[in-house]
Amino acid sequence: MAIAQMNWGRLKYPADDPRLNEFMDGLGDVYRLAEAHPGFLWRIADDAIAAETKACGFDNRMSATVSLWRSLDDLHDYTFNSLHGIYLKRTSEWFEKIDEPQLVI
């Protein structure tokens, strides 16, 4: 059995804004860690998810991730006990506050 997750957020600034440099520069490391993490199976590439969100009428400040994991425990461990968890604690620096669900599993 596997689980899929999708999460989304809206960046406070355009991706090329200097206030997002640290976040944008760290994405490659975060994705490489995910792909090497026990239980990771697959994720939709950034350009593909950007094309899908654009096709749904969202602008380029929408950020989304879709990935497949062996178990909820594996996803949880990666999400909170890796570099991703450090970035997650800082989301308010880079993302707008959203009062709607932003995660589906």
Side-chain angles (χ1 to χ4, degrees):
M1 180 172 80
I3 63 159
Q5 75 80 35
M6 187 270 189
N7 65 77
W8 68 276
R10 181 167 166 76
L11 295 167
K12 286 184 173 182
Y13 318 103
D16 60 354
D17 188 294
R19 292 171 286 190
L20 289 178
N21 283 352
E22 186 178 1
F23 175 76
M24 300 304 289
D25 291 348
L27 284 178
D29 291 337
V30 170
Y31 292 149
R32 278 188 291 282
L33 282 172
E35 292 166 0
H37 196 280
F40 174 86
L41 300 173
W42 174 84
R43 76 176 182 91
I44 295 178
D46 285 352
D47 56 345
I49 198 78
E52 289 296 325
T53 56
K54 184 177 180 180
C56 290
F58 295 102
D59 64 19
N60 62 359
R61 287 180 41 206
M62 181 64 61
S63 176
T65 303
V66 177
S67 58
L68 189 63
W69 294 80
R70 185 182 60 208
S71 72
L72 187 56
D73 288 339
D74 292 324
L75 173 59
H76 183 274
D77 184 58
Y78 165 73
T79 301
F80 297 104
N81 300 321
S82 73
L83 177 63
H84 182 277
I86 293 169
Y87 276 60
L88 189 61
K89 290 176 185 173
R90 298 178 61 194
T91 56
S92 64
E93 295 176 38
W94 303 308
F95 287 88
E96 293 179 356
K97 182 175 176 5
I98 306 288
D99 292 325
E100 299 173 4
Q102 291 180 263
L103 172 70
V104 62
I105 294 179

